[in-house]
């Protein structure tokens, strides 16, 4: 049975080696990134980088987007199919014998398109990282402002007693008990002591 096509053994080319697994993982990450770029309405496709070897009619706002969509449609590595679609749909109508520019070499199309795709994705990732950083800084600043405002409010509340009356200094604003007065409105203790003294001295009868 062995390794033959009709045998029951596994084919050698079906084994997923570490190198093949790493390439597959990179391919999946690339396709996920391209999907994100194509769906990102905030992305303006401003690369601001040129690449020697691109055809003279290449426009970054139009053809970079077509390149990304072409990879999503045909798959990474299908550079000939992507290039044919770019020529048919993106290139201006050329006169017979007209070239795509003096620096363009059609036999180097796969390498050129790969380099341009790397430029486009790299610029997008840098811009997105900068945007995410600005958003994070803004969120942290907002949190700090809210935290400071809450702290000031707590301090204001702690300085007020019941009913919103501002507390005085000392022992937490506690009220002192009032001193009781005698029945006639004077000092009852002094009057009682005087009466007792008069009784002892006999000033008053029984």
């Amino acid at each position: 049975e062995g390794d033959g096509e009709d045998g029951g053994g596994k084919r050698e080319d079906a084994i997923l080696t570490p190198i093949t697994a790493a390439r597959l993982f990179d391919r999946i990450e690339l396709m996920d990134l391209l999907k994100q770029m194509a769906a990102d309405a905030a992305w303006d496709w401003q690369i601001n980088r040129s690449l020697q070897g691109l055809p003279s009619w290449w426009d970054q706002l139009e053809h970079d987007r077509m390149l990304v969509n072409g990879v999503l449609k045909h798959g990474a590595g299908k550079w000939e199919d992507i290039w044919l679609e770019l020529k048919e749909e993106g290139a201006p109508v050329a006169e017979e014998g007209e070239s795509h520019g003096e620096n363009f070499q059609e036999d180097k199309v796969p390498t050129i398109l790969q380099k341009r795709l790397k430029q486009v994705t790299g610029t997008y990732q840098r811009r997105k990282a900068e945007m995410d950083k600005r958003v994070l800084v803004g969120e942290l600043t907002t949190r700090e402002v809210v935290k400071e405002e809450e702290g000031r409010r707590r301090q204001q509340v702690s300085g007020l007693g019941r009913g919103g009356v501002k507390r005085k200094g000392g022992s937490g604003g506690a009220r002192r008990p009032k001193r009781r007065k005698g029945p006639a409105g004077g000092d009852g203790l002094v009057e009682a002591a005087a009466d007792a003294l008069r009784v002892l001295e006999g000033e008053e009868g029984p």
Side-chain angles (χ1 to χ4, degrees):
E1 307 192 36
D3 296 331
E5 292 185 1
D6 297 331
K10 294 183 179 179
R11 295 184 49 146
E12 185 177 354
D13 57 359
I15 298 175
L16 190 63
T17 65
I19 296 177
T20 305
R23 290 176 179 173
L24 180 60
F25 182 77
D26 291 342
R27 187 69 56 88
I28 293 172
E29 279 194 329
L30 173 62
M31 299 304 285
D32 286 343
L33 176 61
L34 297 182
K35 289 177 183 178
Q36 184 178 357
M37 292 174 61
D40 191 348
W43 171 233
D44 58 6
W45 298 91
Q46 293 286 347
I47 308 301
N48 298 327
R49 294 182 65 187
S50 60
L51 178 64
Q52 187 176 3
L54 286 172
S56 57
W57 43 263
W58 191 278
D59 179 76
Q60 64 177 10
L61 297 180
E62 179 181 0
H63 300 108
D64 286 341
R65 188 193 302 267
M66 290 181 65
L67 173 59
V68 169
N69 291 331
V71 176
L72 289 173
K73 177 181 178 181
H74 298 285
K78 302 292 184 179
W79 304 112
E80 294 296 336
D81 295 334
I82 296 169
W83 169 241
L84 290 176
E85 189 170 283
L86 278 167
K87 283 197 303 182
E88 293 175 0
E89 300 182 11
V93 178
E95 299 293 337
E96 185 176 355
E98 186 176 354
S99 66
H100 299 292
E102 60 181 12
N103 294 323
F104 179 77
Q105 299 178 9
E106 192 155 357
D107 60 331
K108 294 185 178 181
V109 160
T111 301
I112 295 171
L113 295 183
Q114 288 183 67
K115 288 182 178 180
R116 185 57 179 178
L117 185 66
K118 188 174 182 180
Q119 283 184 335
V120 174
T121 55
T123 302
Y124 176 78
Q125 288 176 309
R126 285 192 297 273
R127 295 265 189 89
K128 191 174 185 303
E130 292 171 0
M131 181 63 68
D132 292 343
K133 183 178 179 179
R134 286 196 293 268
V135 171
L136 179 59
V137 170
E139 290 178 352
L140 292 176
T141 302
T142 302
R143 291 176 185 175
E144 289 297 325
V145 172
V146 171
K147 186 176 180 181
E148 290 178 2
E149 183 64 24
E150 289 178 349
R152 285 194 295 267
R153 290 179 180 177
R154 290 194 188 99
Q155 290 178 357
Q156 292 175 357
V157 171
S158 64
L160 298 177
R162 293 184 179 180
V165 179
K166 189 174 182 180
R167 294 180 178 177
K168 296 181 179 180
S171 58
R175 295 182 179 180
R176 296 181 179 179
K178 294 183 178 179
R179 185 176 183 181
R180 294 183 178 180
K181 294 183 179 181
D187 195 330
L189 182 61
V190 173
E191 292 181 358
D195 291 341
L197 182 61
R198 284 193 296 270
V199 171
L200 292 174
E201 292 177 351
E203 293 181 358
E204 293 187 1

